[in-house]
Amino acid sequence: MLFDSVLPTVQLLSSLESVLLNPAAALLMPEIVRETQDLIEQGALLQAHRKLMDLECSRDGLMCEQYRMDSGNTRDMTLIHSYFGSTQGLSDELAKQLWMVLQRSLVTVRRDPTLLVSVVRIIEREEKIDRRILDRKKQTGFVPPGRPKSWKEKMFAVLDRTVTTRIEGTQADTRESDRMWLVRHLEIIRKYVLDDLIVAKNLMAQCFPPHYDIFRNLLRMYHQALSTRMQELASEDLEANEIVSLLTWVLNTYTSTEMMGNAELAPEVDVGLLEPLLSPGVVSELLDTYMSTLTSNIIGWLRKALETDKKDWVKETEPEADQDGYYQTTLPAIVFQMFEQNLQVAAQISEDLKTKVLVLCLQQMNSFLSRYKEEAQLYKEEHLRNRQQPHCYVQYMVAIINNCQTFKESIVSLKRKYLKHEAEEGAALSQLSMDGVLDAIAKDGCSGLLEEVFLDLEQHLNELMTKKWLLGSNAVDIICVTVEDYFNDFAKIKKPYKKRMTAEAHRRVVVEYLRAVMQKRISFRSAEERKEGAERMVREAEQLRFLFRKLASGFGEDMDGYCDTIVAVAEVIKLTDPSLLYLEVSTLVSKYPDIRDDHIGALLAMRGDATRDMRQTIIETLEQGPAQASPDHVPIFRDIVVPSLNVAKLLK
């Protein structure tokens, strides 16, 4: 005790005032205070605390004794308090040093763990003194000034503030200075928190008594500080990519092996027991905001992508080709790269969000394809007004057609990759709708290209079944060369559409050939002319058959049936015995049940030898028993209109 050498015992004092006015005591007090102050400044915290405890013990002992003898004597109490006035200042100064050490505890524990241990020992001593004084209070009713100090509680408060400050201080950038500010901020938090908790678990826990449960308490502080910070970030006006970054971090990164699930924190940290950093309500609001923003973004991205693609359509250079040589534009790649990026981002957050984003992409794709169809139609119409422009119209229309197949394949691939359950009705219906639109775009594009072909064939088709044709026109030769030349460009159309386009070109050439027959451009005057004309028709049918077999090579389908129609009509023309006409025409009608009476009338008129009664009898007889079409019959005559003038003439 401080006064053991100066004052024998408190009980021997004649009066309290004589003790406090003792010269030896008066000289000793400033010296003790100075020594304690020096020790604090030197960082000798344990020694300083020992002296502080001696001062406080002497003060508290005197005050307690005075309280016991005369609790109402405020004068003596004030005298004691005044004499030990520097004691409280020393206590506050020491506490300040302790809190400074604790604020830097994660650094201190690595550089000088004994200093941290000293701080904890001091706090633990004070906790014991607090308990002893509170126990004595029950007997005496006396509590010394400044008690209880509750330094353990204050220690945790200091650590809590330190953790909060550390989390808040990790934001180094703003959106204005760095577009990736939030990503950087969250990454710094992740690294700092993980490093801090590993240090706390492996080093700090050894510096504290077990009942302090220091690691669990620090874990709670970090979790609460993070939750508060995440709430603050969530309340800001975040952009879509920032919402994704925040939710990915909160919902996934936080509990992953990169952070709380790290093996170095096990088994003390069980991620399954951690409360969510953000409430479900806040997460839901963020997701709603994200989906709304993403919808607007996707609409804008798709519009811009289409506008960029349209600029390519009028270029003087051909479009690029894929690895198989098919023309294409960059539109499908740009669109689905954008979808992929957003789906990959959504998948980082949750399966549910990934599905929602996929459905959104498909819905917007559906709307986009309607605009794509409109633009492709306008492109075709603009070209037909001036067939010299654009310079590479055919090649870019081929690319547009091919894009349809790429879009279909990409949609299937996207769904297979990101949609776990095909049962999602929205996605399934979207694809059905999109497939229909894409097929319509491709069909319209193919029709437009065939229109190009038949515009160039028109004058040569008009030569068929004329006197010039009968005398040796090369119209069919030119037709075959022209079609083949066009199909050299069409070879760069992808197979599904090229196959249908080839079949349609074949059908249409035959239809135009038969239309020439039905227009009564010529009426044969003799059996010789009929024979010559029929044989020419058969030869030209073979020419066309050879051409389209060549064009359809590799498709694995027999399309000879179209040209067989020309041969069948030629047989009616070639027949030498008019009495057998009914039988021959009946055979023709049985093969092609879509043939009408006006077709038969025009065909008989072309022969030039059937009387009016004969023609009428054949037509009326056939009308009484119309032929039934077979299931695999492909109508060809139904598209052929016989000019009304010719029909009238048949009945004259």
Side-chain angles (χ1 to χ4, degrees):
M1 298 290 289
L2 174 63
F3 293 98
D4 284 351
S5 59
V6 180
L7 307 173
T9 61
V10 173
Q11 292 84 350
L12 297 178
L13 297 174
S14 58
S15 73
L16 182 59
E17 186 174 358
S18 65
V19 173
L20 296 176
L21 296 176
N22 183 288
L27 291 171
L28 188 57
M29 178 55 69
E31 183 181 344
I32 296 297
V33 170
R34 236 183 350 262
E35 290 177 359
T36 306
Q37 184 67 47
D38 289 343
L39 289 170
I40 292 173
E41 292 175 358
Q42 294 166 12
L45 303 182
L46 278 176
Q47 297 175 49
H49 186 247
R50 171 59 61 187
K51 289 188 176 292
L52 176 62
M53 284 194 300
D54 288 345
L55 286 169
E56 289 179 335
C57 186
S58 298
R59 179 198 63 185
D60 297 348
L62 289 171
M63 293 183 80
C64 182
E65 183 63 21
Q66 175 59 30
Y67 183 86
R68 184 183 63 79
M69 292 188 300
D70 185 3
S71 60
N73 189 343
T74 58
R75 175 180 174 278
D76 287 346
M77 278 292 192
T78 302
L79 188 61
I80 297 172
H81 194 275
S82 175
Y83 182 77
F84 288 95
S86 300
T87 304
Q88 186 60 46
L90 290 173
S91 179
D92 293 341
E93 185 61 31
L94 179 61
K96 183 179 178 182
Q97 295 301 314
L98 300 185
W99 309 150
M100 289 176 62
V101 173
L102 287 169
Q103 286 169 359
R104 303 183 70 253
S105 56
L106 290 166
V107 176
T108 303
V109 76
R110 283 180 276 197
R111 296 181 180 177
D112 187 6
T114 56
L115 179 57
L116 183 59
V117 171
S118 297
V119 169
V120 175
R121 286 180 61 187
I122 292 169
I123 292 170
E124 187 62 9
R125 286 176 185 173
E126 289 294 341
E127 285 293 299
K128 290 178 181 177
I129 294 171
D130 280 349
R131 289 194 295 271
R132 187 167 63 247
I133 287 174
L134 291 175
D135 287 342
R136 189 169 64 185
K137 177 188 175 185
K138 297 174 184 178
Q139 300 171 357
T140 65
F142 173 73
V143 178
R147 290 290 179 182
K149 291 185 179 181
S150 302
W151 277 9
K152 180 181 177 183
E153 180 181 334
K154 291 178 181 177
M155 174 199 77
F156 281 117
V158 168
L159 289 174
D160 195 32
R161 286 196 302 273
T162 302
V163 168
T164 300
T165 302
R166 184 155 172 79
I167 297 300
E168 291 175 347
T170 53
Q171 183 175 340
D173 301 297
T174 62
R175 184 183 296 128
E176 290 70 26
S177 63
D178 186 351
R179 296 290 297 173
M180 299 295 289
W181 70 275
L182 185 57
V183 172
R184 297 185 192 282
H185 181 38
L186 293 172
E187 175 56 18
I188 292 171
I189 289 177
R190 183 200 68 79
K191 188 176 185 305
Y192 279 14
V193 172
L194 178 60
D195 290 347
D196 289 357
L197 289 177
I198 290 174
V199 170
K201 174 178 178 286
N202 296 332
L203 300 178
M204 279 187 70
Q206 301 174 23
C207 299
F208 290 79
H211 65 274
Y212 276 50
D213 205 358
I214 190 65
F215 180 74
R216 185 183 65 80
N217 277 295
L218 281 171
L219 178 62
R220 174 184 55 77
M221 293 173 195
Y222 273 98
H223 182 80
Q224 184 56 50
L226 287 171
S227 180
T228 300
R229 183 57 184 149
M230 296 306 116
Q231 294 278 0
E232 292 171 351
L233 291 171
S235 66
E236 294 188 17
D237 187 17
L238 297 177
E239 296 178 355
N241 62 309
E242 293 167 351
I243 291 175
V244 167
S245 297
L246 181 62
L247 288 178
T248 301
W249 198 93
V250 166
L251 301 178
N252 298 318
T253 303
Y254 184 59
T255 54
S256 72
T257 55
E258 294 181 347
M259 200 168 176
M260 292 304 192
N262 192 283
E264 290 196 58
L265 297 179
E268 283 78 0
V269 177
D270 183 349
V271 294
L273 300 178
L274 293 173
E275 291 292 323
L277 290 175
L278 291 176
S279 68
V282 173
V283 171
S284 180
E285 287 179 12
L286 285 172
L287 289 175
D288 289 345
T289 302
Y290 173 71
M291 289 299 292
S292 176
T293 305
L294 182 61
T295 301
S296 299
N297 287 346
I298 287 177
I299 291 172
W301 291 331
L302 289 174
R303 183 183 297 112
K304 184 177 180 181
L306 182 53
E307 289 301 318
T308 301
D309 206 57
K310 282 168 55 183
K311 291 177 182 177
D312 290 344
W313 299 354
V314 295
K315 284 183 176 179
E316 296 290 319
T317 54
E318 293 184 359
E320 63 181 34
D322 65 12
Q323 59 185 9
D324 297 316
Y326 298 119
Y327 283 139
Q328 63 177 5
T329 70
T330 57
L331 184 62
I334 291 172
V335 169
F336 281 91
Q337 183 180 25
M338 177 192 66
F339 287 168
E340 277 274 359
Q341 289 172 349
N342 283 284
L343 283 163
Q344 288 171 6
V345 166
Q348 295 173 9
I349 297 176
S350 69
E351 282 292 320
D352 182 58
L353 181 63
K354 181 187 72 176
T355 302
K356 287 181 179 178
V357 171
L358 176 60
V359 171
L360 171 63
C361 289
L362 294 177
Q363 289 172 342
Q364 293 305 320
M365 183 69 184
N366 213 349
S367 301
F368 166 76
L369 289 177
S370 295
R371 293 194 298 275
Y372 190 48
K373 181 181 179 183
E374 292 171 3
E375 294 296 342
Q377 179 67 27
L378 290 172
Y379 182 58
K380 181 180 77 171
E381 292 172 0
E382 186 69 25
H383 170 71
L384 290 176
R385 282 193 283 270
N386 178 7
R387 293 185 63 208
Q388 302 304 313
Q389 297 294 331
H391 181 70
C392 294
Y393 167 77
V394 170
Q395 291 84 351
Y396 276 98
M397 184 56 77
V398 168
I400 290 171
I401 294 168
N402 287 340
N403 285 350
C404 293
Q405 181 65 21
T406 305
F407 275 130
K408 290 174 76 171
E409 292 169 355
S410 299
I411 291 167
V412 171
S413 175
L414 205 67
K415 288 179 63 179
R416 186 183 298 118
K417 184 174 180 179
Y418 291 102
L419 196 62
K420 282 192 173 181
H421 307 290
E422 188 63 37
E424 273 87 349
E425 293 185 9
L429 292 174
S430 290
Q431 180 161 358
L432 286 174
S433 175
M434 285 186 285
D435 283 354
V437 175
L438 287 165
D439 284 341
I441 295 171
K443 183 178 179 181
D444 194 50
C446 290
S447 296
L449 291 176
L450 287 179
E451 193 64 31
E452 285 284 298
V453 178
F454 283 91
L455 283 172
D456 285 350
L457 295 181
E458 187 174 3
Q459 69 179 92
H460 307 295
L461 290 169
N462 289 336
E463 282 188 18
L464 299 176
M465 306 303 142
T466 62
K467 288 288 185 181
K468 181 180 179 181
W469 169 79
L470 187 62
L471 294 173
S473 165
N474 62 350
V476 171
D477 295 333
I478 297 174
I479 288 170
C480 289
V481 169
T482 303
V483 170
E484 187 170 8
D485 184 54
Y486 267 102
F487 268 80
N488 284 332
D489 284 335
F490 299 163
K492 296 192 176 183
I493 297 176
K494 289 187 175 180
K495 189 172 182 179
Y497 299 124
K498 183 187 174 188
K499 179 179 178 180
R500 283 186 287 234
M501 190 173 179
T502 304
E504 177 59 20
H506 189 176
R507 187 195 70 83
R508 191 166 170 184
V509 166
V510 172
V511 165
E512 294 299 327
Y513 195 99
L514 293 174
R515 180 175 282 113
V517 173
M518 302 303 169
Q519 287 182 341
K520 199 177 179 294
R521 296 172 182 172
I522 186 172
S523 180
F524 296 116
R525 290 172 296 182
S526 65
E528 186 63 29
E529 275 193 0
R530 284 191 289 276
K531 177 183 178 184
E532 185 180 342
E535 288 176 349
R536 186 172 184 85
M537 289 172 68
V538 171
R539 287 197 305 273
E540 290 176 346
E542 287 303 315
Q543 267 186 278
L544 296 174
R545 192 195 311 274
F546 177 81
L547 169 66
F548 285 104
R549 277 180 178 174
K550 181 179 179 181
L551 296 180
S553 176
F555 292 156
E557 286 191 10
D558 180 15
M559 293 191 293
D560 288 350
Y562 292 132
C563 290
D564 288 343
T565 310
I566 298 175
V567 175
V569 169
E571 290 299 321
V572 175
I573 300 294
K574 185 178 180 181
L575 187 69
T576 56
D577 186 353
S579 65
L580 297 178
L581 268 177
Y582 173 75
L583 182 61
E584 193 68 38
V585 171
S586 296
T587 302
L588 179 67
V589 172
S590 66
K591 286 183 179 179
Y592 306 100
D594 62 313
I595 197 170
R596 299 188 303 273
D597 56 357
D598 55 346
H599 294 138
I600 296 169
L603 181 57
L604 294 176
M606 184 178 177
R607 275 185 58 89
D609 64 342
T611 65
R612 178 181 178 278
D613 291 341
M614 184 186 297
R615 294 196 297 266
Q616 191 165 353
T617 300
I618 292 173
I619 292 171
E620 289 175 352
T621 304
L622 290 172
E623 283 178 344
Q624 294 173 6
Q628 297 296 316
S630 63
D632 57 348
H633 171 68
V634 179
I636 192 167
F637 284 95
R638 71 179 182 188
D639 296 329
I640 301 173
V641 177
V642 177
S644 57
L645 177 63
N646 289 348
V647 175
K649 286 182 178 179
L650 292 176
L651 301 177
K652 289 182 180 178

